[in-house]
Amino acid sequence: MLRTVKPKNARSKRALQAREPKEVEDPRTAVFVKGTHTGEKVNGVMKELMALKRPHAISFSKKNTVRPFEDASSLEFWAQKNDASLFLVGQSTKKRPDGLTFVRMFDYRVLDMCEFGVDMFKSMAEFKTPKATPGHKPLLHFASELFESHPRFVQLKSMLIDFFNGEVIDQICLAGIEHVISISLGPTPPSLNAATTTLGASTSSAPESTASLPKVHIRAYTIRLLASGTRIPRVELTPMGPFMDLTLRRHQEADPELLKQAMKRPKVRKQDVEKGLGKKRKNLEVDEMGDLRGRIHVGKQDLSRLQTRKMKGLKSGRDEMLMDVDAEDEGESGVEDGGRRPKRRRAAA
């Protein structure tokens, strides 16, 4: 593990803040790692999956001695070095030929892993059809009830969503959906239905054999929107590739304590609250200019007791006091004259 260094300037501080947990996470970066020996089939699968994952993908050109289920220290080092949370390790051995391992990280530690065997693969070059634009979000389609009931396929669904999901958005234009990735299972044995799977998972703790599990079929299609005479267009799917069939092998479940930390939501910063993110609070809204505005409800106020600026001319009772003084002055002048008006003097003729 890399040593945590305290930031020395504003630039390094912003870089560390960019790696902190967020309410809305950034797109996950996937690192494609080749083992000591990879066959042509594994190389083709990794190349096609990297094309679907771009631009959030990093490929290691050199071969590495890595065994995720035995020692994950190399993956943890690469995760912190490249700020990556997903790994796809390709390895082909005599015991496990054409193997692919999906590794998911949290806090630069291994959260869970799932290993597959590649049974069939068709690249994009074999389909002479238009391809989707790199970087566009795909539409994911899971066509089996086992993705909601069986624990192995629930884990697989969560991994594939994290792998193919790009930037988190609120809405998307219909014309912006260019391709769809369909994940189906088959053939499904009669013993693996929803009721049997749920009952078996709750009553039996013995590890289940992977030979009894159905294969995973991954297909990619481009979407064409055609005129239908109505407001809703007619949708046609055209095979784009890649096509692959995978067999489930080993897996490692997430540690309960680590999974609890991964599902915990971080506290929302003040800057994010001003942008309208986080938990919506009552009587708070963000206007079109991005300013946070609040509404305050107060009770009826008695304005007669309102504290104002203390001025000599605004003191209470001053007007009454002035009226009393004027009345006293008028009374005194009347008493001095005897209550009679003075007579005019006539001028001498």
Side-chain angles (χ1 to χ4, degrees), residues 128-149:
K128 307 301 180 182
T129 55
K131 312 303 179 186
T133 306
H136 277 220
K137 290 176 66 68
L139 182 65
L140 298 179
H141 173 242
F142 295 91
S144 178
E145 61 181 6
L146 294 179
F147 287 113
E148 304 294 337
S149 57

Side-chain angles (χ1 to χ4, degrees), residues 11-121:
R11 182 179 179 183
S12 59
K13 183 178 180 180
R14 290 193 300 267
L16 292 178
Q17 287 181 353
R19 296 192 175 193
E20 291 180 354
K22 305 178 182 62
E23 183 72 15
V24 179
E25 292 288 347
D26 298 331
R28 295 176 177 267
T29 302
V31 179
F32 292 77
V33 183
K34 296 180 181 179
T36 54
H37 178 72
T38 56
E40 182 180 358
K41 187 184 295 185
V42 175
N43 289 334
V45 171
M46 296 182 67
K47 182 180 179 181
E48 300 292 325
L49 290 179
M50 185 176 178
L52 295 176
K53 182 62 179 174
R54 285 175 180 170
H56 308 291
I58 301 174
S59 177
F60 287 175
S61 58
K62 295 183 179 180
K63 295 183 179 181
N64 299 271
T65 305
V66 55
R67 297 178 177 85
F69 288 92
E70 286 78 17
D71 184 14
S73 58
S74 299
L75 299 180
E76 295 175 354
F77 175 80
W78 292 331
Q80 190 166 4
K81 193 73 174 177
N82 299 277
D83 193 19
S85 58
L86 292 172
F87 282 88
L88 184 61
V89 183
Q91 180 81 9
S92 183
T93 60
K94 184 177 181 181
K95 186 177 181 180
R96 299 182 180 89
D98 302 329
L100 282 177
T101 305
F102 285 84
V103 184
R104 187 163 48 176
M105 313 290 291
F106 171 72
D107 196 17
Y108 310 118
R109 291 179 290 175
V110 174
L111 181 64
D112 55 353
M113 295 184 289
C114 193
E115 186 183 24
F116 302 92
V118 182
D119 296 337
M120 187 275 295
F121 169 70

Side-chain angles (χ1 to χ4, degrees), residues 208-229:
E208 186 178 6
S209 175
T210 56
S212 61
L213 298 177
K215 292 184 179 181
V216 181
H217 308 282
I218 300 178
R219 306 288 186 264
Y221 304 91
T222 54
I223 298 177
R224 294 181 58 192
L225 303 178
L226 304 177
S228 62

Side-chain angles (χ1 to χ4, degrees), residues 268-270 272-288 290-297:
V268 184
R269 296 183 301 174
K270 181 181 179 181
D272 298 334
V273 174
E274 294 176 355
K275 294 179 182 179
L277 302 178
K279 185 178 180 181
K280 187 176 181 180
R281 292 184 291 178
K282 192 175 180 181
N283 299 328
L284 284 179
E285 59 182 7
V286 181
D287 58 7
E288 297 179 355
D291 298 330
L292 184 65
R293 296 185 177 275
R295 183 180 300 174
I296 302 176
H297 298 274

Side-chain angles (χ1 to χ4, degrees), residues 271-339:
Q271 296 87 343
D272 298 334
V273 174
E274 294 176 355
K275 294 179 182 179
L277 302 178
K279 185 178 180 181
K280 187 176 181 180
R281 292 184 291 178
K282 192 175 180 181
N283 299 328
L284 284 179
E285 59 182 7
V286 181
D287 58 7
E288 297 179 355
M289 302 300 296
D291 298 330
L292 184 65
R293 296 185 177 275
R295 183 180 300 174
I296 302 176
H297 298 274
V298 296
K300 187 177 181 181
Q301 297 181 349
D302 187 5
L303 300 180
S304 61
R305 298 183 179 181
L306 183 64
Q307 179 67 34
T308 58
R309 183 179 178 183
K310 295 182 179 180
M311 295 178 62
K312 189 173 182 180
L314 298 178
K315 287 185 177 181
S316 60
R318 183 174 177 83
D319 295 340
E320 298 178 357
M321 183 178 63
L322 293 176
M323 293 176 63
D324 295 343
V325 171
D326 294 341
E328 291 178 359
D329 294 342
E330 293 178 357
E332 291 177 358
S333 61
V335 172
E336 291 176 357
D337 297 340

